[in-house]
Amino acid sequence: MLYELLKPVIGVALHWYYRSILTEGIERVPKDGPVFLAVNHPNALVDALVVGYAVPRRVHFTAKATIFANPLATTFLQAVGVVPLRRASDESKAGASSASPADAERNAASFEAVADALAKQGAIVIFPEGKSHDLPQLAPLRTGLARMTLQAYQAHGVRGVRIIPIGLLFERKEAPRSRVLMQVGEPIHVDPLVDAGISVATLTQLVTARLAAVTLNFDSPSDAERLQRVGGTLSALLEPTPSVAEGTPSLGRVLELLRRLDRVHSTLRARDDAELHTRLDGFEARVRAFGTRLDERGIDPHDLAISAQAAAGMRFAVREATLALIAAPIGFWGRLTHFAPIQLARRLALRNVQALDEPAMRTLVVGLLLVLAAYIVQTAVVASLAGGWWALAFFLTLVPSASSDLRYGDRTRRARDRARAYFAFRRDPALQGALLAEADAIRQDAFALERLAAER
């Protein structure tokens, strides 16, 4: 019951922080049957919240057993389906020997709890990297998932287990109003593998390969920054001009382009051809320089091909003004009632931040508490001044108005960017032609390099 009540609340909180949370391949998650959901771990608690919200069936989570020390926490965690796991690192921090008989018993008890959940046809979310991190690639996977899978089959007779790889891609995980994509990969059917005698190491390698296929993996942070910068500009040049409502191409298409770009980059770099390396460096520098040129002029690359005709500008102005008459008052009400708790939550969340996986997690947790407190206080004040029915009406406006404010704010920013590009092209008609010509040349270079990478 508590799980079902919390899920929509978590959904609202996530959509207040992130502009969109999309899924690809969600049909690969079976509606029933024993399942491990193997998820990468780039964004701390937020990863669990996204998976719990986006997966259409109830899921259980694994968490380190040390957080069960508090009786109140234990009651809450059990109610939402959290399974405790003992980890050697947790035991060592507590001062215990990871090789002690007591630890072995606790570890066996953890595996028993997981096997019991699987036997009841449960879906268990597990983060096989072990800990959240800011690395530009998957961290080495631990063997716990493979060991639990084999034990459930061999010692407990659980059949039909599937391991579903899930990749979480955050556009900028620390940034409010950025986007999230959850990609579901090819399932691993465990039974035939165990029957064939698969080892823990081999199963772990298989999970690694499937998880790598739905995540971004760069060799270094500098490679990640460089290719994402180039890929962001390229994706804008290769996609049709989006509407103001769409904003930018889907994160799935951007991810696909980044993988293509990384594949071309790795293939050409691996060849012993200095001239080819120079050409690749020149292409990346050209794309970065083009992006910088657009930034300096305040032009979004998605707006290069818009019409600069007066009629198009008039239609744009009338449409956005009409929308503003409807959406702006609702958004203003949401801003008025939520500004203080949300801004305070953001300020508190950013204090002493040491990693990129901290801001969103802190903002969501602190913000949820402060917003709920603000709701109670504000509704109580309205009740005391105007009575219960007005208080109820006031309360029912809070969540929709805040959501409207955030969505309209996103659109307003895109509309402002498009208007800026429109007026720049109206003032200097030759500018748009020059930028489009450069964009076309970059596209042709990109296709040529991809063809070279495809040659044997």
Side-chain angles (χ1 to χ4, degrees), residues 135-138 169 215-228 255 258-259 261-263 265-266:
L135 298 175
Q137 71 281 116
L138 281 174
L169 173 69
T215 54
L216 282 176
N217 295 279
F218 299 106
D219 291 335
S220 66
S222 61
D223 276 352
E225 189 279 330
R226 186 180 73 255
L227 290 176
Q228 286 177 339
L255 175 59
L258 282 172
R259 287 179 177 142
L261 184 63
D262 186 40
R263 189 161 52 246
H265 178 272
S266 300

Side-chain angles (χ1 to χ4, degrees), residues 204-335:
T204 301
Q205 291 171 0
L206 179 57
V207 175
T208 298
R210 295 289 175 90
L211 200 49
V214 289
T215 54
L216 282 176
N217 295 279
F218 299 106
D219 291 335
S220 66
S222 61
D223 276 352
E225 189 279 330
R226 186 180 73 255
L227 290 176
Q228 286 177 339
R229 168 71 172 170
V230 172
T233 302
L234 266 182
S235 68
L237 302 185
L238 294 173
E239 294 289 338
T241 302
S243 68
V244 174
E246 291 173 323
T248 54
S250 76
L251 207 51
R253 294 201 293 272
V254 175
L255 175 59
E256 180 184 355
L257 179 66
L258 282 172
R259 287 179 177 142
R260 287 170 59 190
L261 184 63
D262 186 40
R263 189 161 52 246
V264 169
H265 178 272
S266 300
T267 299
L268 297 182
R269 286 293 180 198
R271 295 179 184 174
D272 186 17
D273 188 333
E275 184 177 345
L276 192 57
H277 295 174
T278 300
R279 181 176 175 180
L280 183 61
D281 290 339
F283 170 74
E284 292 182 1
R286 183 178 190 179
V287 177
R288 289 198 301 273
F290 185 65
T292 300
R293 181 183 179 189
L294 294 177
D295 289 343
E296 290 172 348
R297 291 180 175 271
I299 296 175
D300 190 302
H302 300 95
D303 297 330
L304 288 177
I306 63 170
S307 172
Q309 297 296 317
M314 182 60 68
R315 287 193 298 270
F316 173 85
V318 170
R319 184 186 67 235
E320 295 305 314
T322 302
L323 181 63
L325 289 175
I326 300 170
I330 301 173
F332 175 75
W333 179 247
R335 180 72 57 90

Side-chain angles (χ1 to χ4, degrees), residues 59-115:
V59 299
H60 300 273
F61 297 95
T62 56
K64 57 184 181 180
T66 52
I67 67 174
F68 283 76
N70 184 291
L72 290 177
T74 298
T75 301
F76 173 79
L77 293 170
Q78 289 176 343
V80 296
V82 178
V83 178
L85 289 181
R86 291 280 176 183
R87 303 186 308 186
S89 58
D90 301 326
E91 297 296 332
S92 62
K93 288 178 183 177
S97 170
S98 61
S100 68
D103 177 60
E105 291 177 6
R106 285 190 293 266
N107 194 54
S110 297
F111 281 29
E112 290 274 354
V114 170

Side-chain angles (χ1 to χ4, degrees), residues 190-213:
V190 171
D191 289 7
L193 298 176
V194 181
D195 290 339
I198 194 170
S199 66
V200 167
T202 303
L203 183 54
T204 301
Q205 291 171 0
L206 179 57
V207 175
T208 298
R210 295 289 175 90
L211 200 49

